[in-house]
Amino acid sequence: MNKLMKRIGALALSTVVWMGAAITTCAKDDNYTYNYDWWGDVQDSPDFYTVTGVYTSVELELDKKMNTPSGMCVKDNLVYVCDTGNNRILVFERNDKGELKLKREFDRFQGDVEVNTFSAPTDIAVSDEGDIYIADGGNARILKLDKNLNYQMQFIKPVENTITEETIFLPNKIDIDTTGRVYCVATGINKGIIKYEADGSFSGFVGANKVSFNWTDYIFKKFATQEQRDRMESFVPTEYDNIYMDYEGFIYACKGNQTQEALEEDGAAAVRRLNLLGNDILVQNGEWGVYGDLYMGEGGGYEGPSSFIDVTGLENDVYFCLDKKRGRIFSYDDQGNIMFVCGGGQSPMDGYFKSPIAIDHIGTDLLVLDMLDCSITTFTLTEFGSLVFKAMDQFDQGEYDASGATWEEVMKLNGNYDRAYIGIGRSLLRQEKYKEAMDYFELKYDAENYSKAFKQYRKQWVEEHIGLIVLVILALFLIPMGIGKVKAIKHEIDIADIFK
Amino acid sequence: MKALIKKDKLQHYLATLKFALYCITHPLDGFWDLTHEKRGSYAAANTILIITLIMRLVKLRYTSFIIQAVYWEEINMVLYMASVLFPLALFVIGNWALTTLFDGKGRLGQVYMATCYCFTPYPLLQLPLTIMSNFVTVDEAEFYSVISGLSLVWCAILIIAAMGQIHEYSAGKNILFMVASLFAMLVMVFILMLFFSMISQGIAYFISLGRELLFRL
């Protein structure tokens, strides 16, 4: 008896251990990656991206340690970093093994200008030809150098009547388009993104932020004294924090440090996708706005909404926003649906950030620059992440069956992933399996797609049962009519004279 | 003889229940007769109330997710029922308490009966709507919300008409006392909250007193 009990105990124990092992292989229990479902509830998720390396000055074999690096850009397999505190530019090459190696560093350039060095460079951009654009804030200019570091030209403070002479021109973030136009976000200039033509002339502002104010403040201001008014915040539009030119030539612009009210009123405020005219074309069909964390209350030493400091976009229109406040990466698809959230702050572990400042990508791999930690963290897709991307690509290319199958695999890895259910549903919808598609959409409350499927299903049903429907309608009319007729005849017989 | 009385009662009950249908289409006439001609009954009023409550649950469960997605984790059946019963009780008591001071002819029971009769359009409209909701797309959901709103407006109009008739008020006075009843409801809620917080503090005092004693002994 005793033996039997022991055996059962051992069996139970081994089951527990085995199950524990199975769980750890499926998802980490530390909640590194999560997602928001339709209700806005946090759903733990297996990692979408995994850290492949954290490169500090030691790993990068730098003679002089990095000091508050604040700008990063990627061209092919080269990573350009602005080492702001040391007034130099670092260029790293990513080798075949995926490791970053120092390729070159420079803090001066040749050419016929007064100052041949940089002063607190904050951002960098590189063209297809290899021309390097540097936001040289301390010298109030944007430099254009060729690949051999010869001075080409500079973009200076725009001449515009709204910019006073006293205003110091501080280019902060820059990006360029394929024709060599330069877009710049400058500190203290809130009329929008400054746009220069390729010849260096200022051609206007793009995507100005609208002035936002609330009515109570407005009315209060009407009655306030001058002193009170001065103490209040003024109604000025805030400047963008960063811009990113995507592969199609649209500019992603992000703006951090926002209030919860501003974000919930106008979900587009945190990230915008600007077209050539400066209009916002960011699609926001997701259940939740594109503004990071939904829960903005105090917790874990943080308070308030996410503060986006940088954004980068892949060629499948998935884009990533970097939250400075909580050190998280938020990913959205082309419809504005949240794909995943990962990262965090206040932890020395890999994949957590102290003060992330820039994000960029090589292919589908991500790089994040940390200003305080002076490190570059590289990420690559996990099996889960690459399956999701594969399923999306297959759907875009019209391989609906294959896409559905891939989403099924995704669902096996993460049963709480809303996108997987909707992906399967959409592929079923394309395969004209409307009833099955409806079931999947209903599970994840996708009313739009459900309606699409249901409309077709209803049409199909009516077409199949048209005979029955006609019969029922006829019956509804004919039976009461028939009964009426019979009754009338009976009545006539009853009152007929011949039977009296 | 016994069976005959029983049959009589049943027939009276059914007649009063059927009278609800007359009331909702002819509110002024109907609610006058309801009390003055004794054409309504408490049994029918209770039946209508219970049907309304059941309809609320049916609606919660069977309405399509397109129109109403339910977060089941946070649904509390008792509270959900109370969301109808509690305001009803407040209104009936508040209305009676006020009108009885100002020449209102209706008695407490009559106010309750009339209010319950006013709920009739709700199950009548909501049942077909709930069924319909499962056969519509997002674009057609507008119809649903319009008709659904209509059922509530209908109930509200009926309540106003009913109160005027059973208290024998003129239109202006009636409206005035409907608004006053709403305030009475608010005052009652306030007093209830005050009451409960006082009671809980009182109990907490004695509990702490007891604890103190236990420590000392």
Side-chain angles (χ1 to χ4, degrees):
Chain A
M1 191 63 201
N2 208 355
K3 218 173 180 182
L4 187 71
M5 287 299 283
K6 259 186 192 165
R7 220 175 255 178
I8 291 169
L11 190 72
L13 195 72
S14 66
T15 320
V16 169
V17 169
W18 179 79
M19 272 170 65
I23 289 162
T24 45
T25 50
C26 284
K28 282 188 198 164
D29 49 357
D30 63 353
N31 197 8
Y32 178 71
T33 306
Y34 62 91
N35 215 314
Y36 286 112
D37 68 2
W38 189 84
W39 294 106
D41 285 347
V42 172
Q43 296 286 358
D44 284 354
S45 160
D47 287 350
F48 204 98
Y49 270 94
T50 185
V51 176
T52 48
V54 179
Y55 299 91
T56 60
S57 303
V58 180
E59 277 91 6
L60 294 168
E61 292 164 357
L62 298 179
D63 300 333
K64 196 172 161 195
K65 277 187 182 169
M66 282 195 275
N67 183 2
T68 58
S70 58
M72 178 170 70
C73 101
V74 165
K75 193 80 213 173
D76 303 323
N77 63 344
L78 295 179
V79 181
Y80 296 77
V81 172
C82 286
D83 190 1
T84 312
N86 292 326
N87 299 326
R88 63 176 175 175
I89 309 294
L90 300 165
V91 186
F92 305 108
E93 186 174 27
R94 205 173 85 133
N95 62 20
D96 299 333
K97 281 185 242 159
E99 293 160 335
L100 292 181
K101 292 277 176 242
L102 183 68
K103 195 183 176 210
R104 174 187 195 190
E105 59 173 289
F106 54 90
D107 55 5
R108 57 187 64 249
F109 55 92
Q110 300 95 41
D112 185 23
V113 260
E114 257 179 66
V115 189
N116 275 358
T117 54
F118 311 115
S119 169
T122 47
D123 202 13
I124 185 164
V126 181
S127 73
D128 290 335
E129 292 80 38
D131 295 334
I132 302 167
Y133 296 75
I134 297 163
D136 193 6
N139 293 324
R141 63 184 176 183
I142 300 164
L143 283 166
K144 183 185 176 187
L145 311 176
D146 72 3
K147 57 186 154 199
N148 299 320
L149 303 184
N150 293 313
Y151 172 79
Q152 297 262 343
M153 61 187 290
Q154 65 179 10
F155 303 83
I156 51 163
K157 180 175 164 184
V159 182
E160 222 252 341
N161 48 19
T162 56
I163 300 170
T164 55
E165 271 181 43
E166 297 90 64
T167 313
I168 301 160
F169 181 55
L170 265 176
N172 184 19
K173 295 291 170 190
I174 55 167
D175 217 330
I176 50 168
D177 68 6
T178 46
T179 57
R181 289 195 196 97
V182 176
Y183 297 86
C184 165
V185 175
T187 309
I189 294 176
N190 54 26
K191 304 250 324 172
I193 298 162
I194 301 163
K195 182 180 167 190
Y196 295 100
E197 292 300 328
D199 61 3
S201 61
F202 167 69
S203 73
F205 292 106
V206 182
N209 272 311
K210 282 191 201 98
V211 181
S212 64
F213 62 90
N214 58 39
W215 282 103
T216 48
D217 273 6
Y218 184 78
I219 292 165
F220 183 76
K221 231 170 222 201
K222 282 272 169 204
F223 297 105
T225 62
Q226 188 61 47
E227 257 184 24
Q228 284 172 323
R229 252 180 265 178
D230 290 343
R231 234 181 279 163
M232 283 177 78
E233 275 180 79
S234 52
F235 302 144
V236 290
T238 47
E239 65 229 48
Y240 291 111
D241 272 313
N242 213 328
I243 50 174
Y244 173 79
M245 177 76 68
D246 77 356
Y247 72 105
E248 286 177 306
F250 296 116
I251 301 171
Y252 282 108
C254 64
K255 193 165 63 142
N257 294 327
Q258 303 212 58
T259 59
Q260 185 169 351
E261 295 81 39
L263 291 175
E264 280 170 358
E265 253 169 47
D266 173 17
V271 186
R272 286 186 184 163
R273 197 172 181 221
L274 305 170
N275 64 8
L276 279 176
L277 297 170
N279 297 323
D280 184 17
I281 55 160
L282 192 79
V283 184
Q284 298 225 37
N285 290 340
E287 217 44 65
W288 302 98
V290 181
Y291 53 76
D293 272 322
L294 303 181
Y295 300 104
M296 305 171 180
E298 221 172 319
Y302 303 107
E303 200 186 344
S306 305
S307 179
F308 289 162
I309 189 73
D310 197 6
V311 55
T312 188
L314 300 184
E315 294 200 3
N316 56 3
D317 285 323
V318 170
Y319 54 98
F320 305 91
C321 306
L322 191 62
D323 171 19
K324 175 176 66 174
K325 191 176 280 173
R326 293 183 178 81
R328 284 177 180 153
I329 301 169
F330 293 85
S331 169
Y332 297 91
D333 71 3
D334 57 341
Q335 293 297 308
N337 295 304
I338 194 155
M339 304 264 300
F340 72 89
V341 186
C342 76
Q346 293 183 343
S347 167
M349 282 190 283
D350 290 357
Y352 291 77
F353 312 111
K354 276 190 189 135
S355 177
I357 187 78
I359 186 168
D360 215 318
H361 65 94
I362 303 178
T364 57
D365 292 355
L366 293 180
L367 297 109
V368 176
L369 181 67
D370 193 316
M371 187 166 72
L372 270 183
D373 214 24
C374 297
S375 66
I376 302 170
T377 308
T378 56
F379 291 89
T380 194
L381 283 170
T382 59
E383 187 194 354
F384 171 62
S386 46
L387 276 175
V388 172
F389 277 0
K390 190 175 146 197
M392 287 167 69
D393 288 344
Q394 282 169 335
F395 190 86
D396 287 344
Q397 281 154 19
E399 299 163 13
Y400 304 120
D401 302 18
S403 168
T406 316
W407 279 121
E408 295 264 6
E409 281 177 57
V410 172
M411 204 165 83
K412 271 179 207 151
L413 291 176
N414 183 4
N416 284 333
Y417 199 52
D418 287 14
R419 307 313 314 155
Y421 290 80
I422 291 163
I424 294 169
R426 281 173 70 188
S427 112
L428 287 169
L429 181 61
R430 297 288 180 144
Q431 294 168 43
E432 303 187 353
K433 292 178 185 161
Y434 303 121
K435 188 81 186 86
E436 291 95 321
M438 277 159 58
D439 293 341
Y440 276 101
F441 293 138
E442 188 168 1
L443 276 174
K444 291 300 168 193
Y445 304 97
D446 189 339
E448 286 290 329
N449 280 317
Y450 177 88
S451 293
K452 271 186 208 162
F454 179 70
K455 217 174 196 169
Q456 297 301 321
Y457 178 68
R458 194 169 58 180
K459 203 171 134 198
Q460 219 173 34
W461 190 89
V462 169
E463 277 166 12
E464 275 170 23
H465 298 83
I466 188 71
L468 188 74
I469 293 164
V470 170
L471 222 77
V472 168
I473 292 171
L474 278 180
L476 280 178
F477 278 100
L478 289 182
I479 291 172
M481 264 167 72
I483 291 170
K485 263 265 151 53
V486 169
K487 271 188 179 165
I489 291 168
K490 257 189 179 167
H491 183 68
E492 237 161 71
I493 291 170
D494 282 350
I495 59 163
D497 291 334
I498 21 172
F499 296 111
K500 277 189 176 168
Chain B
M1 193 63 195
K2 224 176 178 184
L4 206 70
I5 291 170
K6 229 180 178 179
K7 206 182 167 192
D8 225 35
K9 270 189 173 169
L10 186 71
Q11 255 166 7
H12 180 244
Y13 166 71
L14 287 177
T16 50
L17 197 59
K18 211 179 160 193
F19 187 65
L21 294 178
Y22 179 79
C23 278
I24 60 171
T25 44
H26 309 75
L28 297 179
D29 243 14
F31 285 111
W32 180 270
D33 288 359
L34 188 76
T35 49
H36 296 86
E37 306 288 328
K38 298 216 166 34
R39 292 183 71 178
S41 69
Y42 290 114
N46 290 335
T47 312
I48 292 165
L49 182 60
I50 289 164
I51 290 174
T52 305
L53 288 177
I54 292 172
M55 192 55 234
R56 288 264 297 164
L57 294 183
V58 167
K59 180 182 150 101
L60 185 74
R61 171 65 187 83
Y62 292 103
T63 302
S64 166
F65 80 97
I66 287 178
I67 287 147
Q68 182 193 42
V70 183
Y71 193 65
W72 288 105
E73 281 86 339
E74 288 197 348
I75 292 286
N76 182 338
M77 274 316 170
V78 177
L79 280 183
Y80 196 71
M81 299 280 226
S83 71
V84 177
L85 293 177
F86 186 63
L88 173 69
L90 281 183
F91 174 77
V92 170
I93 295 169
N95 185 279
W96 173 77
L98 267 178
T99 51
T100 202
L101 294 176
F102 293 92
D103 299 338
K105 297 287 185 292
R107 282 176 287 131
L108 184 64
Q110 288 174 341
V111 175
Y112 166 75
M113 197 206 295
T115 314
C116 287
Y117 267 73
C118 294
F119 288 160
T120 317
Y122 185 81
L124 277 186
L125 279 181
Q126 290 292 340
L127 184 66
L129 266 183
T130 304
I131 297 167
M132 187 194 97
S133 79
N134 288 292
F135 298 98
V136 294
T137 60
V138 174
D139 311 325
E140 297 149 8
E142 283 298 310
F143 292 109
Y144 177 94
S145 46
V146 169
I147 301 176
S148 186
L150 216 65
S151 77
L152 294 179
V153 172
W154 193 354
C155 287
I157 292 172
L158 287 182
I159 289 178
I160 294 170
M163 290 307 117
Q165 292 305 306
I166 62 166
H167 293 311
E168 297 176 27
Y169 278 169
S170 64
K173 200 176 177 188
N174 184 27
I175 300 289
L176 183 73
F177 274 91
M178 287 309 290
V179 176
S181 302
L182 292 181
F183 277 106
M185 288 165 78
L186 283 180
V187 169
M188 282 158 74
V189 167
F190 175 71
I191 291 171
L192 279 176
M193 278 166 70
L194 212 66
F195 178 73
F196 281 120
S197 92
M198 298 266 284
I199 289 284
S200 67
Q201 278 185 7
I203 290 171
Y205 169 73
F206 285 109
I207 286 175
S208 64
L209 204 67
R211 250 191 220 144
E212 193 73 17
L213 276 174
L214 283 178
F215 280 133
R216 302 280 153 154
L217 288 176

